[in-house]
Amino acid sequence: MIRDTSAQDRLVEVKPNRKRQLLFAGIGLAVLATLAFALPTAMRLFSADASVSASRLSFATVERGLFVRDIAAEGKVVAAVSPTMYATSGGAVTVKVHAGDTVKKGQVLAVIDSPELTNKLLQEESNADAMEVEYQRAQIEARKQRSSLQKAYDNALIDQQAAERDLARNEKAFKLGAVSGMDVDRAKDTLQKARLTTQHAKSDLGMDNASLNFDIKSKKLAHERQVLLVKDLQRQVDDLNVKSPVDGQVGQLFIAERATVAKDAKLLSVIDLSALEVEMQVPESFARDLAIGMNGEITGNGHTWKGIVSAISPEVVNGEVAARLRFDGSTPKQLRQNQRLSVRILLDKRDNVLTVQRGSFVDESGGNFAYVVHDGIAEKKPIRVGASSIDKVEILDGLKEGDRIVISGTDNFKDAAKVAISD
């Protein structure tokens, strides 16, 4: 019989390992803590409709304080008065100045040689002289004819008076029986004829006098009309000497020396350096708030000047509107045409206003909602925005001071109600 090893076996008592127990307990606690920390996050992730990395977003906090609406842009110096000279008549042009020359008001800048216009002036002056002679001749002829008519009328009156006296003598002699009744009747007929002759002579004098006056007036008006034509031609000839309308500087020459140009061709421009303005381009969204007379600031060359909005273009070009500011006071002497300056126009200034940094969320949502971030979740909430400045937006409703919102990158949310923000 083979003996087993049972007699050799003995019970060994295993003592508990304290270090291992502590290790397992620590691991268990760490797992529980991790689960406790991750569980709310996991629950938030499960409750969100999407997840977007925070690196693709921009955030800002809603604040309450001073709100300043202004427009800041770069402008350039332009001349408020910059007339362009045009050719009043066709011809060869002799330019008397060069670009950049300083000129005075009334100084001749260019001369246009127009033989056609000069000859026409001489012809019309000759016609005016001839009409003046005709007018004077008509006056002389009228005086002569009036004298002749007056003479006929005076002779008719004398003949009438003689006939009256002759009738009176015949009637007296007839009573005395010295003459026959036939002689009295003949004297009466003679008196009647004399009276008719006087009456017609008086009528002719009046009618011919009116006719003569009309003829004189007609020739006078024709002469005066011709004189006006001569004056107009003289003005056109004088305008062949192109003169500067302002004190300033020659800007640009549009023609070459001794060039032959047509009527109304551009010749040159003059810049009035005593009346400079600053032109700027304003975004269309801000242009509707601009108004003539608004105050602004113009900065450049280490100086700051006060300005006033003087003009706003009614036309939108490439989403921008041109506006001009004039200097409030005298024009700075150190400025030059087309020089670049910084411009700022104050539109509105208020205190204790709820605002947030401006971002693309205003345009993307139309200012109707924003995503408020809390515990890693961006939740879509309806809002109402007010005025906007270059860097801030006024919040009228839907947000409170201290709220943190997504101001750009919300196009990644795909209009989700809740979005998890991952690191």
Side-chain angles (χ1 to χ4, degrees), residues 61-317:
T61 303
V62 179
E63 301 174 343
R64 184 176 294 277
L66 180 65
F67 177 66
V68 177
R69 291 182 64 214
D70 58 4
I71 300 174
E74 187 179 67
K76 66 177 181 178
V77 178
V78 296
V81 180
S82 180
T84 299
M85 307 293 102
Y86 293 85
T88 58
S89 179
V93 181
T94 302
V95 181
K96 300 292 186 180
V97 292
H98 301 87
D101 287 353
T102 301
V103 295
K104 296 294 184 180
K105 182 177 180 180
Q107 179 179 339
V108 177
L109 307 179
V111 177
I112 304 172
D113 184 14
S114 177
E116 178 183 359
L117 186 60
T118 304
N119 291 336
K120 186 176 181 180
L121 173 61
L122 295 175
Q123 292 173 5
E124 297 302 337
E125 285 179 338
S126 178
N127 291 337
D129 293 340
M131 288 183 176
E132 184 178 9
V133 171
E134 289 295 325
Y135 169 54
Q136 294 176 352
R137 180 182 291 114
Q139 290 179 309
I140 295 172
E141 291 294 332
R143 286 196 294 268
K144 290 172 62 177
Q145 194 165 347
R146 285 196 194 98
S147 177
S148 177
L149 292 172
Q150 185 67 45
K151 180 180 179 181
Y153 175 65
D154 293 340
N155 289 332
L157 283 177
I158 294 173
D159 292 341
Q160 180 181 339
Q161 292 173 359
E164 289 174 351
R165 289 194 298 267
D166 187 54
L167 176 60
R169 285 194 301 268
N170 282 309
E171 286 179 344
K172 186 177 181 180
F174 177 74
K175 289 179 181 181
L176 296 174
V179 296
S180 63
M182 185 179 296
D183 292 332
V184 175
D185 293 337
R186 188 181 297 113
K188 288 181 178 180
D189 293 338
T190 302
L191 176 59
Q192 185 65 27
K193 289 180 180 179
R195 286 175 177 174
L196 288 175
T197 302
T198 303
Q199 184 178 356
H200 287 303
K202 183 178 181 181
S203 176
D204 291 343
L205 178 62
M207 292 179 60
D208 288 348
N209 188 55
S211 176
L212 292 172
N213 288 337
F214 179 80
D215 186 53
I216 292 173
K217 185 175 181 181
S218 176
K219 286 182 167 53
K220 178 182 179 182
L221 291 176
H223 175 251
E224 291 176 347
R225 183 170 59 251
Q226 186 66 21
V227 169
L228 292 176
L229 177 60
V230 170
K231 287 183 178 179
D232 183 63
L233 288 172
Q234 184 64 58
R235 177 189 59 79
Q236 295 180 40
V237 171
D238 292 340
D239 288 343
L240 294 177
N241 295 320
V242 182
K243 300 177 181 179
S244 175
V246 295
D247 293 339
Q249 188 177 48
V250 178
Q252 184 177 357
L253 299 179
F254 300 105
I255 59 170
E257 179 67 24
R258 296 299 301 173
T260 300
V261 300
K263 183 181 179 182
D264 297 328
K266 293 172 66 175
L267 302 179
L268 50 83
S269 63
V270 180
I271 301 170
D272 185 359
L273 297 178
S274 64
L276 297 178
E277 293 182 342
V278 179
E279 184 176 75
M280 63 182 295
Q281 300 297 325
V282 180
E284 182 182 0
S285 57
F286 290 99
R288 64 176 64 95
D289 298 323
L290 274 180
I292 295 177
M294 282 186 170
N295 295 323
E297 288 184 352
I298 304 169
T299 305
N301 295 345
H303 297 83
T304 299
W305 304 279
K306 291 183 179 180
I308 299 175
V309 177
S310 60
I312 303 171
S313 173
E315 182 181 10
V316 179
V317 179

Side-chain angles (χ1 to χ4, degrees), residues 365 368-373 377-383 413-419:
S365 67
N368 295 320
F369 61 84
Y371 283 90
V372 181
V373 180
I377 297 295
E379 184 176 356
K380 184 179 180 181
K381 288 188 176 182
I383 65 170
F413 294 173
K414 308 299 182 184
D415 204 29
K418 290 185 178 181
V419 179

